[in-house]
Amino acid sequence: MLELAIGIILGGCALGAGCAMIAGIGPGIGEGNAVGAACEAIGRQPECKGDVTTTMLMGCAVAETTGLYALVIAILLIFVAPKTLVNVLLKALAGTL
């Protein structure tokens, strides 16, 4: 019984970490579109290169934070949450005995 509960906790944490890392796809696609659009804009008006590049880099930095937040959540789910949840389970079982 206890082994099954711990296995469910570990499996849930691993599944949650995998789902969190799906958020890493969004910044990659968004940044690719932004760079492509910036290259087109610079190609059409080369004199605006500085403004376009600055705006593009700021947008890419903001978009990248989504991927970094997902990475932090995944790391917490892999390394911190299982121990915490297993301790909660053990305390709950100790209280019922």
Coordinates of all heavy atoms in Angstrom, one line a residue:
M1 N 0.8 -1.2 0.0 CA 0.0 0.0 0.0 C 0.9 1.3 0.0 O 0.7 2.1 -0.8 CB -0.9 0.0 1.2 CG -1.7 1.2 1.5 SD -3.1 1.4 0.4 CE -3.8 2.9 1.1
L2 N 1.8 1.3 0.9 CA 2.7 2.5 1.0 C 3.6 2.6 -0.2 O 3.8 3.7 -0.8 CB 3.6 2.4 2.2 CG 4.5 3.6 2.5 CD1 3.7 4.8 2.7 CD2 5.4 3.3 3.7
E3 N 4.1 1.5 -0.8 CA 4.9 1.6 -2.0 C 4.1 2.1 -3.2 O 4.6 2.8 -4.0 CB 5.5 0.2 -2.3 CG 6.5 -0.3 -1.3 CD 5.8 -1.0 -0.1 OE1 4.6 -1.3 -0.1 OE2 6.5 -1.1 0.9
L4 N 2.8 1.7 -3.2 CA 2.0 2.1 -4.3 C 1.8 3.6 -4.3 O 1.8 4.3 -5.3 CB 0.7 1.4 -4.3 CG -0.4 1.8 -5.4 CD1 0.2 1.5 -6.8 CD2 -1.7 1.1 -5.2
A5 N 1.5 4.1 -3.0 CA 1.3 5.6 -2.9 C 2.5 6.4 -3.2 O 2.4 7.4 -3.9 CB 0.8 5.8 -1.4
I6 N 3.7 5.9 -2.8 CA 4.9 6.6 -3.1 C 5.2 6.5 -4.6 O 5.6 7.5 -5.2 CB 6.1 6.0 -2.3 CG1 6.0 6.3 -0.9 CG2 7.4 6.5 -2.9 CD1 7.0 5.6 0.0
G7 N 4.9 5.4 -5.3 CA 5.0 5.3 -6.7 C 4.1 6.3 -7.5 O 4.5 6.9 -8.5
I8 N 2.9 6.4 -7.0 CA 2.0 7.4 -7.6 C 2.5 8.8 -7.4 O 2.4 9.6 -8.4 CB 0.6 7.2 -7.0 CG1 0.0 5.9 -7.4 CG2 -0.3 8.4 -7.4 CD1 -1.4 5.5 -6.8
I9 N 3.0 9.1 -6.3 CA 3.6 10.4 -6.0 C 4.8 10.7 -7.0 O 4.8 11.7 -7.7 CB 4.1 10.6 -4.6 CG1 2.8 10.7 -3.7 CG2 4.9 11.8 -4.4 CD1 3.2 10.7 -2.2
L10 N 5.7 9.7 -7.1 CA 6.8 9.9 -8.0 C 6.4 10.0 -9.5 O 6.9 10.8 -10.2 CB 7.8 8.8 -7.8 CG 8.5 8.7 -6.4 CD1 9.4 7.5 -6.3 CD2 9.3 10.0 -6.1
G11 N 5.5 9.2 -9.9 CA 5.0 9.2 -11.2 C 4.3 10.5 -11.5 O 4.4 11.1 -12.6
G12 N 3.5 11.0 -10.6 CA 2.8 12.3 -10.8 C 3.8 13.5 -10.9 O 3.6 14.4 -11.7
C13 N 4.8 13.4 -10.1 CA 5.8 14.5 -10.2 C 6.6 14.5 -11.5 O 6.8 15.5 -12.1 CB 6.8 14.4 -9.0 SG 6.1 14.8 -7.4
A14 N 6.9 13.3 -12.0 CA 7.6 13.1 -13.3 C 6.7 13.6 -14.4 O 7.1 14.2 -15.3 CB 8.0 11.7 -13.5
L15 N 5.4 13.2 -14.4 CA 4.5 13.6 -15.4 C 4.3 15.1 -15.4 O 4.2 15.7 -16.5 CB 3.1 12.9 -15.2 CG 2.1 13.0 -16.2 CD1 2.6 12.5 -17.6 CD2 0.8 12.4 -15.8
G16 N 4.2 15.7 -14.2 CA 4.0 17.1 -14.1 C 5.2 17.9 -14.6 O 5.1 18.9 -15.3
A17 N 6.4 17.3 -14.4 CA 7.7 18.0 -14.9 C 7.7 17.9 -16.4 O 8.1 18.8 -17.1 CB 8.9 17.3 -14.3
G18 N 7.3 16.8 -17.0 CA 7.2 16.6 -18.4 C 6.2 17.6 -19.0 O 6.5 18.2 -20.1
C19 N 5.1 17.7 -18.4 CA 4.1 18.7 -18.9 C 4.6 20.1 -18.8 O 4.3 21.0 -19.7 CB 2.8 18.5 -18.2 SG 1.9 17.0 -18.5
A20 N 5.3 20.4 -17.8 CA 5.8 21.8 -17.6 C 6.9 22.1 -18.7 O 6.9 23.2 -19.2 CB 6.5 21.9 -16.2
M21 N 7.6 21.1 -19.1 CA 8.6 21.4 -20.1 C 8.0 21.5 -21.5 O 8.7 22.0 -22.4 CB 9.7 20.3 -20.1 CG 10.6 20.4 -18.9 SD 11.3 22.0 -18.6 CE 12.2 22.3 -20.1
I22 N 6.8 21.2 -21.7 CA 6.1 21.5 -23.0 C 6.0 23.0 -23.2 O 6.0 23.4 -24.3 CB 4.7 20.8 -23.0 CG1 4.8 19.3 -23.0 CG2 3.9 21.3 -24.2 CD1 3.5 18.6 -22.9
A23 N 6.0 23.7 -22.1 CA 6.0 25.2 -22.2 C 7.3 25.7 -22.9 O 7.3 26.9 -23.3 CB 5.9 25.8 -20.9
G24 N 8.3 24.9 -23.0 CA 9.6 25.3 -23.7 C 9.4 25.4 -25.2 O 10.2 26.1 -25.9
I25 N 8.3 24.8 -25.7 CA 8.1 24.9 -27.2 C 7.7 26.3 -27.6 O 8.1 26.8 -28.6 CB 7.0 23.9 -27.6 CG1 7.6 22.5 -27.3 CG2 6.6 24.0 -29.0 CD1 6.5 21.4 -27.5
G26 N 6.8 26.9 -26.8 CA 6.3 28.3 -27.1 C 7.3 29.3 -27.3 O 7.3 30.0 -28.3
P27 N 8.3 29.5 -26.4 CA 9.3 30.5 -26.6 C 10.1 30.3 -27.9 O 10.5 31.2 -28.6 CB 10.2 30.5 -25.4 CG 9.3 29.9 -24.3 CD 8.4 29.0 -25.0
G28 N 10.4 29.0 -28.2 CA 11.2 28.7 -29.4 C 10.5 29.2 -30.7 O 11.0 29.8 -31.6
I29 N 9.2 28.8 -30.7 CA 8.4 29.2 -31.9 C 8.2 30.7 -32.0 O 8.4 31.4 -33.0 CB 7.0 28.5 -31.8 CG1 7.2 27.0 -32.0 CG2 6.1 29.1 -32.9 CD1 5.9 26.2 -31.8
G30 N 7.9 31.4 -30.8 CA 7.7 32.8 -30.8 C 9.0 33.6 -31.1 O 8.9 34.6 -31.9
E31 N 10.1 33.1 -30.6 CA 11.4 33.8 -30.9 C 11.8 33.6 -32.4 O 12.3 34.5 -33.0 CB 12.5 33.3 -30.0 CG 12.3 33.8 -28.6 CD 13.3 33.2 -27.6 OE1 14.4 32.8 -28.0 OE2 13.0 33.2 -26.4
G32 N 11.5 32.5 -32.9 CA 11.8 32.2 -34.3 C 11.0 33.1 -35.2 O 11.5 33.7 -36.2
N33 N 9.7 33.3 -34.9 CA 8.8 34.2 -35.7 C 9.3 35.7 -35.5 O 9.3 36.4 -36.5 CB 7.4 34.1 -35.2 CG 6.7 32.8 -35.7 OD1 7.2 32.2 -36.6 ND2 5.7 32.4 -35.0
A34 N 9.7 36.1 -34.3 CA 10.2 37.4 -34.1 C 11.4 37.7 -34.9 O 11.5 38.8 -35.5 CB 10.4 37.7 -32.6
V35 N 12.4 36.8 -34.9 CA 13.6 37.0 -35.6 C 13.4 37.1 -37.1 O 13.9 37.9 -37.9 CB 14.7 35.9 -35.3 CG1 15.9 36.0 -36.1 CG2 15.1 36.1 -33.8
G36 N 12.5 36.2 -37.6 CA 12.1 36.2 -39.0 C 11.5 37.5 -39.4 O 11.8 38.1 -40.5
A37 N 10.6 38.0 -38.6 CA 9.9 39.3 -38.9 C 10.9 40.4 -38.9 O 10.9 41.4 -39.7 CB 8.8 39.5 -38.0
A38 N 11.8 40.4 -37.9 CA 12.8 41.4 -37.8 C 13.8 41.4 -39.0 O 14.1 42.5 -39.5 CB 13.7 41.2 -36.5
C39 N 14.1 40.2 -39.5 CA 15.0 40.2 -40.7 C 14.3 40.7 -41.9 O 14.9 41.5 -42.7 CB 15.4 38.7 -41.0 SG 16.6 38.1 -39.8
E40 N 13.0 40.5 -42.0 CA 12.2 41.0 -43.1 C 12.1 42.6 -43.0 O 12.3 43.3 -44.0 CB 10.8 40.5 -43.1 CG 10.7 39.0 -43.6 CD 9.3 38.5 -43.5 OE1 8.3 39.3 -43.4 OE2 9.1 37.3 -43.6
A41 N 11.9 43.1 -41.8 CA 11.8 44.5 -41.6 C 13.2 45.2 -41.9 O 13.2 46.3 -42.5 CB 11.4 44.8 -40.1
I42 N 14.3 44.6 -41.5 CA 15.6 45.2 -41.8 C 15.9 45.1 -43.3 O 16.5 46.0 -43.8 CB 16.7 44.5 -40.9 CG1 16.5 44.8 -39.5 CG2 18.1 44.9 -41.4 CD1 17.4 44.0 -38.5
G43 N 15.4 44.0 -43.9 CA 15.6 43.9 -45.3 C 14.8 45.0 -46.1 O 15.3 45.5 -47.1
R44 N 13.7 45.4 -45.6 CA 12.9 46.4 -46.3 C 13.4 47.8 -46.0 O 13.3 48.7 -46.9 CB 11.4 46.3 -45.9 CG 10.7 45.0 -46.4 CD 9.3 45.0 -46.1 NE 8.7 43.8 -46.6 CZ 7.8 43.1 -46.0 NH1 7.3 43.5 -44.8 NH2 7.3 42.0 -46.5
Q45 N 13.8 48.0 -44.8 CA 14.3 49.4 -44.4 C 15.5 49.2 -43.5 O 15.5 49.2 -42.3 CB 13.2 50.1 -43.5 CG 12.0 50.4 -44.3 CD 11.0 51.2 -43.5 OE1 11.0 51.2 -42.3 NE2 10.0 51.8 -44.2
P46 N 16.7 49.1 -44.2 CA 18.0 48.9 -43.5 C 18.3 50.0 -42.5 O 19.0 49.8 -41.6 CB 19.0 48.8 -44.6 CG 18.2 48.5 -45.9 CD 16.9 49.1 -45.7
E47 N 17.8 51.2 -42.7 CA 18.1 52.4 -41.9 C 17.5 52.2 -40.5 O 17.9 52.9 -39.5 CB 17.7 53.7 -42.5 CG 16.2 53.9 -42.7 CD 15.7 53.3 -44.0 OE1 16.5 52.7 -44.7 OE2 14.5 53.5 -44.2
C48 N 16.5 51.3 -40.3 CA 15.9 51.1 -39.0 C 16.4 49.9 -38.3 O 15.8 49.4 -37.3 CB 14.4 50.9 -39.2 SG 13.5 52.3 -39.8
K49 N 17.6 49.5 -38.7 CA 18.2 48.3 -38.1 C 18.3 48.3 -36.6 O 18.0 47.4 -35.9 CB 19.6 48.0 -38.7 CG 20.3 46.8 -38.2 CD 21.6 46.6 -38.8 CE 22.3 45.4 -38.2 NZ 23.7 45.2 -38.7
G50 N 18.8 49.4 -36.0 CA 19.0 49.6 -34.6 C 17.7 49.5 -33.8 O 17.7 48.8 -32.8
D51 N 16.7 50.2 -34.3 CA 15.4 50.1 -33.6 C 14.8 48.8 -33.6 O 14.3 48.3 -32.6 CB 14.5 51.2 -34.2 CG 14.9 52.6 -33.9 OD1 15.7 52.8 -33.0 OD2 14.5 53.5 -34.7
V52 N 14.8 48.1 -34.8 CA 14.2 46.8 -34.9 C 14.9 45.8 -34.1 O 14.3 45.0 -33.4 CB 14.2 46.4 -36.4 CG1 13.8 45.0 -36.6 CG2 13.3 47.3 -37.2
T53 N 16.3 45.8 -34.1 CA 17.0 44.9 -33.3 C 16.8 45.0 -31.8 O 16.6 44.0 -31.1 CB 18.5 45.0 -33.7 OG1 18.7 44.9 -35.1 CG2 19.4 44.0 -32.9
T54 N 16.8 46.3 -31.4 CA 16.5 46.5 -29.9 C 15.2 46.0 -29.5 O 15.0 45.3 -28.5 CB 16.6 48.0 -29.6 OG1 17.9 48.5 -30.0 CG2 16.4 48.3 -28.2
T55 N 14.1 46.3 -30.3 CA 12.8 45.8 -30.0 C 12.7 44.3 -30.0 O 12.1 43.7 -29.2 CB 11.8 46.4 -31.0 OG1 11.9 47.8 -30.9 CG2 10.4 46.0 -30.6
M56 N 13.4 43.7 -31.0 CA 13.3 42.2 -31.2 C 14.0 41.6 -30.0 O 13.5 40.6 -29.4 CB 14.0 41.8 -32.5 CG 14.1 40.3 -32.6 SD 15.3 39.7 -33.7 CE 16.8 40.2 -32.9
L57 N 15.2 42.1 -29.6 CA 15.9 41.5 -28.4 C 15.1 41.6 -27.1 O 15.1 40.7 -26.3 CB 17.2 42.1 -28.3 CG 18.3 41.7 -29.4 CD1 19.5 42.5 -29.2 CD2 18.5 40.3 -29.4
M58 N 14.4 42.7 -27.0 CA 13.6 42.9 -25.8 C 12.4 41.9 -25.8 O 12.1 41.3 -24.8 CB 13.0 44.3 -25.7 CG 12.2 44.6 -24.4 SD 13.1 44.4 -22.9 CE 14.2 45.7 -23.0
G59 N 11.8 41.7 -26.9 CA 10.7 40.8 -27.0 C 11.1 39.3 -26.8 O 10.5 38.5 -26.2
C60 N 12.3 39.0 -27.4 CA 12.8 37.6 -27.2 C 13.2 37.4 -25.7 O 13.0 36.3 -25.2 CB 14.1 37.4 -28.1 SG 13.7 37.2 -29.8
A61 N 13.7 38.4 -25.0 CA 14.0 38.2 -23.6 C 12.8 38.0 -22.8 O 12.7 37.1 -21.9 CB 14.8 39.5 -23.1
V62 N 11.7 38.7 -23.1 CA 10.4 38.5 -22.4 C 9.9 37.1 -22.7 O 9.3 36.5 -21.8 CB 9.4 39.7 -22.7 CG1 8.1 39.4 -22.2 CG2 9.9 41.0 -22.2
A63 N 9.9 36.7 -23.9 CA 9.4 35.4 -24.3 C 10.2 34.3 -23.7 O 9.6 33.2 -23.3 CB 9.4 35.3 -25.8
E64 N 11.5 34.5 -23.5 CA 12.3 33.4 -23.0 C 12.0 33.2 -21.5 O 12.2 32.1 -21.0 CB 13.8 33.8 -23.1 CG 14.8 32.7 -22.8 CD 14.7 31.5 -23.7 OE1 14.3 31.6 -24.8 OE2 14.9 30.4 -23.2
T65 N 11.5 34.2 -20.8 CA 11.2 33.9 -19.4 C 10.1 32.9 -19.2 O 10.2 32.2 -18.1 CB 10.7 35.2 -18.7 OG1 9.5 35.7 -19.4 CG2 11.8 36.3 -18.7
T66 N 9.3 32.7 -20.1 CA 8.3 31.6 -20.0 C 9.0 30.2 -20.0 O 8.6 29.4 -19.1 CB 7.3 31.6 -21.2 OG1 6.8 32.9 -21.3 CG2 6.2 30.6 -21.1
G67 N 9.9 30.0 -20.8 CA 10.7 28.8 -20.8 C 11.5 28.6 -19.6 O 11.6 27.5 -19.0
L68 N 12.0 29.7 -19.0 CA 12.8 29.6 -17.8 C 11.9 29.3 -16.6 O 12.3 28.5 -15.7 CB 13.6 30.9 -17.5 CG 14.7 31.1 -18.5 CD1 15.3 32.5 -18.3 CD2 15.8 30.1 -18.5
Y69 N 10.7 29.8 -16.6 CA 9.8 29.5 -15.5 C 9.4 28.0 -15.5 O 9.3 27.4 -14.5 CB 8.6 30.4 -15.5 CG 8.8 31.8 -15.2 CD1 8.1 32.9 -15.8 CD2 9.7 32.2 -14.2 CE1 8.3 34.2 -15.5 CE2 9.9 33.5 -13.8 CZ 9.2 34.5 -14.5 OH 9.4 35.8 -14.2
A70 N 9.2 27.6 -16.7 CA 8.8 26.1 -16.9 C 10.0 25.2 -16.4 O 9.7 24.2 -15.8 CB 8.5 25.9 -18.4
L71 N 11.2 25.6 -16.7 CA 12.3 24.8 -16.3 C 12.5 24.8 -14.8 O 12.7 23.8 -14.2 CB 13.6 25.4 -16.9 CG 14.9 24.7 -16.5 CD1 14.9 23.3 -17.0 CD2 16.1 25.5 -17.1
V72 N 12.2 26.0 -14.1 CA 12.3 26.0 -12.7 C 11.2 25.1 -12.1 O 11.5 24.4 -11.1 CB 12.2 27.5 -12.2 CG1 11.9 27.5 -10.7 CG2 13.4 28.3 -12.6
I73 N 10.0 25.2 -12.6 CA 8.9 24.4 -12.1 C 9.3 22.9 -12.3 O 9.0 22.0 -11.4 CB 7.6 24.7 -12.8 CG1 7.2 26.1 -12.5 CG2 6.5 23.7 -12.5 CD1 6.9 26.4 -11.0
A74 N 9.8 22.5 -13.4 CA 10.2 21.1 -13.7 C 11.2 20.6 -12.7 O 11.2 19.5 -12.2 CB 10.6 20.9 -15.1
I75 N 12.2 21.5 -12.5 CA 13.3 21.1 -11.5 C 12.7 20.9 -10.1 O 13.1 20.0 -9.4 CB 14.4 22.1 -11.5 CG1 15.2 22.0 -12.9 CG2 15.4 22.0 -10.4 CD1 16.2 23.1 -13.1
L76 N 11.8 21.8 -9.7 CA 11.2 21.7 -8.4 C 10.4 20.4 -8.3 O 10.4 19.7 -7.3 CB 10.3 22.9 -8.1 CG 11.1 24.2 -7.8 CD1 10.1 25.3 -7.7 CD2 11.9 24.1 -6.5
L77 N 9.7 20.1 -9.4 CA 8.8 18.8 -9.4 C 9.7 17.6 -9.3 O 9.3 16.6 -8.8 CB 7.9 18.8 -10.6 CG 6.7 19.7 -10.5 CD1 6.0 19.8 -11.8 CD2 5.7 19.2 -9.4
I78 N 10.9 17.6 -9.9 CA 11.7 16.5 -9.9 C 12.5 16.3 -8.6 O 12.6 15.2 -8.1 CB 12.7 16.5 -11.1 CG1 11.9 16.3 -12.4 CG2 13.8 15.4 -11.0 CD1 12.7 16.6 -13.7
F79 N 13.0 17.4 -8.1 CA 13.9 17.2 -6.9 C 13.3 17.6 -5.6 O 13.8 17.1 -4.6 CB 15.2 18.1 -7.2 CG 16.0 17.6 -8.3 CD1 16.1 18.4 -9.5 CD2 16.7 16.4 -8.3 CE1 16.8 17.9 -10.6 CE2 17.5 16.0 -9.3 CZ 17.5 16.7 -10.5
V80 N 12.4 18.5 -5.5 CA 11.9 19.0 -4.2 C 10.5 18.3 -3.9 O 10.3 17.8 -2.7 CB 11.7 20.5 -4.2 CG1 11.1 21.0 -2.9 CG2 13.1 21.1 -4.4
A81 N 9.6 18.3 -4.8 CA 8.2 17.9 -4.5 C 8.1 16.4 -4.1 O 7.4 16.1 -3.1 CB 7.3 18.1 -5.7
P82 N 8.8 15.5 -4.7 CA 8.7 14.1 -4.2 C 9.0 13.9 -2.7 O 8.2 13.2 -2.0 CB 9.6 13.3 -5.1 CG 9.8 14.1 -6.3 CD 9.7 15.5 -5.9
K83 N 10.1 14.5 -2.3 CA 10.5 14.3 -0.9 C 9.4 14.9 0.0 O 9.0 14.4 1.0 CB 11.9 14.9 -0.7 CG 12.4 14.8 0.8 CD 13.7 15.5 0.9 CE 14.2 15.4 2.4 NZ 15.4 16.0 2.6
T84 N 9.0 16.1 -0.3 CA 8.0 16.8 0.5 C 6.7 16.1 0.5 O 6.1 15.9 1.6 CB 7.8 18.2 -0.1 OG1 9.0 18.9 -0.2 CG2 6.8 19.0 0.7
L85 N 6.2 15.6 -0.6 CA 5.0 14.9 -0.6 C 5.1 13.5 0.1 O 4.1 13.1 0.7 CB 4.5 14.7 -2.1 CG 4.1 16.0 -2.8 CD1 3.8 15.7 -4.3 CD2 2.9 16.6 -2.1
V86 N 6.2 12.8 0.0 CA 6.3 11.5 0.7 C 6.4 11.8 2.2 O 5.8 11.0 2.9 CB 7.6 10.8 0.2 CG1 8.0 9.6 1.1 CG2 7.4 10.3 -1.2
N87 N 7.0 12.9 2.6 CA 7.0 13.2 4.0 C 5.6 13.5 4.5 O 5.2 13.1 5.6 CB 7.9 14.4 4.3 CG 9.4 14.0 4.3 OD1 9.7 12.8 4.4 ND2 10.3 15.0 4.0
V88 N 4.8 14.2 3.7 CA 3.4 14.5 4.1 C 2.6 13.2 4.2 O 1.9 13.0 5.1 CB 2.8 15.5 3.1 CG1 1.3 15.5 3.3 CG2 3.4 16.8 3.2
L89 N 2.8 12.3 3.3 CA 2.2 11.0 3.3 C 2.5 10.2 4.5 O 1.7 9.6 5.2 CB 2.5 10.2 2.0 CG 2.0 8.8 2.0 CD1 0.4 8.8 1.8 CD2 2.6 8.0 0.8
L90 N 3.8 10.2 4.8 CA 4.3 9.4 6.0 C 3.7 10.0 7.3 O 3.3 9.3 8.2 CB 5.8 9.3 6.0 CG 6.4 8.5 4.9 CD1 8.0 8.6 5.0 CD2 6.0 7.1 5.0
K91 N 3.7 11.3 7.4 CA 3.1 12.0 8.6 C 1.6 11.7 8.7 O 1.1 11.4 9.8 CB 3.3 13.5 8.6 CG 4.8 13.9 8.9 CD 4.9 15.4 8.8 CE 6.4 15.8 9.0 NZ 6.6 17.2 8.9
A92 N 0.9 11.7 7.6 CA -0.5 11.4 7.6 C -0.8 9.9 8.0 O -1.7 9.6 8.8 CB -1.1 11.6 6.2
L93 N 0.1 9.0 7.5 CA -0.1 7.6 7.9 C 0.3 7.4 9.4 O -0.3 6.6 10.1 CB 0.8 6.7 7.0 CG 0.3 6.6 5.6 CD1 1.2 5.7 4.8 CD2 -1.1 6.0 5.6
A94 N 1.3 8.1 9.9 CA 1.7 8.0 11.3 C 0.6 8.5 12.2 O 0.4 8.0 13.3 CB 3.0 8.7 11.6
G95 N -0.1 9.5 11.8 CA -1.2 10.1 12.6 C -2.4 9.1 12.6 O -3.2 9.2 13.6
T96 N -2.6 8.3 11.6 CA -3.7 7.4 11.6 C -3.4 6.1 12.4 O -4.4 5.3 12.6 CB -4.2 7.1 10.2 OG1 -3.1 6.4 9.5 CG2 -4.6 8.3 9.5
L97 N -2.2 5.8 12.6 CA -1.8 4.5 13.3 C -2.1 4.5 14.7 O -1.9 5.3 15.5 CB -0.4 4.1 12.9 CG -0.1 3.8 11.4 CD1 1.3 3.5 11.3 CD2 -1.0 2.6 11.0

